[in-house]
Amino acid sequence: MTDHLIFQVYAPFTSWGEPAVGEVRHSNIIPSRSALLGLVSAALGIRRDDNQIDHFNQHYHFAIRPFIANNSWFRDFHTVQAPRANKKQVWYTRFDEIRQTSHELETLLSQREYYNDVYYQIVMSETENAPYSLAQIQLALLNPIFPLYAGRKNSPLSLPLSPILYQGTLSEAFIFADKHYQECHRQNPVIIKLLKSTADEYYWEQANQEDHFDLIKIQLRQDQPISRERWQFSCRQQFSGNLKGSE
């Protein structure tokens, strides 16, 4: 039996960043591991420059069930003025950056992808010596210290995370989550329509789940934070498939 923390994520727009160094900032349909770690650490009040964040990011597993039946996708276009990159110069405000380098400003172009009307059920578990218990994280998600977003700051959440604790297998946790949130949203026609749609693809991190899931795909994702200071990420395996007996 494994302890799990289950919560939901729903926002008008979601943008779960993929590795990007160019003009186009792609979004995955499901949250990255780094995005979920960022969401939880923000709720706990851990700042990006806090020394404990690299240790925090080494713990916890996430599994995801997206409800994407009615989603659509779009890309917006950004222009922003910025001075040429200079690693020796530190700007503490946007105003200082523009005011003190007005003669060096260039126009940067970028395009950013978003999905809308996607609902997620997230199942989280802790690893040995995790710095926060699931019960502590549940309290933080109920009363987050910092504002929470669905990937970007222009994507605020539109439903409470409604975290609940559950003990059982990962597949049982998903079945419990489905019943629980359908009951919670029975008076909400928009969400209940999403919850009753086909959502038969599950994503998880832990190996050896084949007793409960039909494995379809294994892919590498470069979204395990290893250094916030250097903005470095390593690869990890992500499994996806169907819940056995759900057809």
Side-chain angles (χ1 to χ4, degrees), residues 11 41 46 63-65 73 102 123 134 139 152 161 170 197 207 211:
S41 58
I46 305 174
I64 306 164
R65 183 187 184 190
W73 171 93
S102 57
V123 178
L134 294 180
L139 290 175
R152 295 188 185 280
L161 295 166
L170 179 59
S197 65
D211 288 346

Side-chain angles (χ1 to χ4, degrees), residues 61-78:
H61 293 301
F62 295 97
I64 306 164
R65 183 187 184 190
F67 294 73
I68 57 177
N70 301 313
N71 86 93
S72 57
W73 171 93
F74 70 94
R75 178 185 292 174
D76 69 353
F77 181 72
H78 284 240

Side-chain angles (χ1 to χ4, degrees), residues 98-220:
I98 295 176
R99 181 186 58 177
Q100 297 184 26
T101 59
S102 57
H103 58 290
E104 297 178 355
L105 291 180
E106 297 178 337
T107 300
L108 304 179
L109 308 178
S110 66
Q111 299 180 61
R112 304 178 187 204
E113 296 178 350
Y114 296 86
Y115 289 91
N116 72 341
D117 216 15
V118 185
Y119 172 93
Y120 303 93
Q121 290 174 356
I122 311 293
V123 178
M124 179 179 181
S125 58
E126 58 186 330
T127 60
E128 189 175 358
N129 298 321
Y132 293 90
S133 69
L134 294 180
Q136 289 175 303
I137 294 173
Q138 181 189 26
L139 290 175
L141 295 182
L142 288 168
N143 299 284
I145 293 177
F146 295 132
L148 304 182
Y149 308 101
R152 295 188 185 280
K153 285 187 177 180
N154 60 354
S155 303
L157 304 180
S158 60
L159 281 179
L161 295 166
S162 303
I164 49 173
L165 294 170
Y166 181 81
Q167 192 174 62
T169 66
L170 179 59
S171 59
E172 291 170 340
F174 273 121
I175 294 170
F176 176 81
D178 196 32
K179 293 179 180 176
H180 175 78
Y181 291 116
Q182 286 210 34
E183 178 65 21
C184 289
H185 298 301
R186 66 183 186 280
Q187 302 297 329
N188 186 329
V190 174
I191 302 301
I192 203 67
K193 183 179 179 182
L194 269 172
L195 287 173
K196 290 184 178 299
S197 65
T198 301
D200 55 3
E201 190 160 16
Y202 298 75
Y203 298 81
W204 63 94
E205 296 179 355
Q206 309 99 311
N208 304 320
Q209 295 291 329
E210 289 78 5
D211 288 346
H212 307 286
F213 294 91
D214 290 321
L215 180 62
I216 296 176
K217 183 171 57 181
I218 302 175
Q219 59 181 332
L220 286 179

Side-chain angles (χ1 to χ4, degrees), residues 15-17 31-40 149-151 223 225 228:
S15 184
W16 310 112
S32 62
R33 173 175 167 78
S34 56
L36 292 174
L37 285 167
L39 185 91
V40 173
Y149 308 101
D223 61 359
R228 277 290 181 186

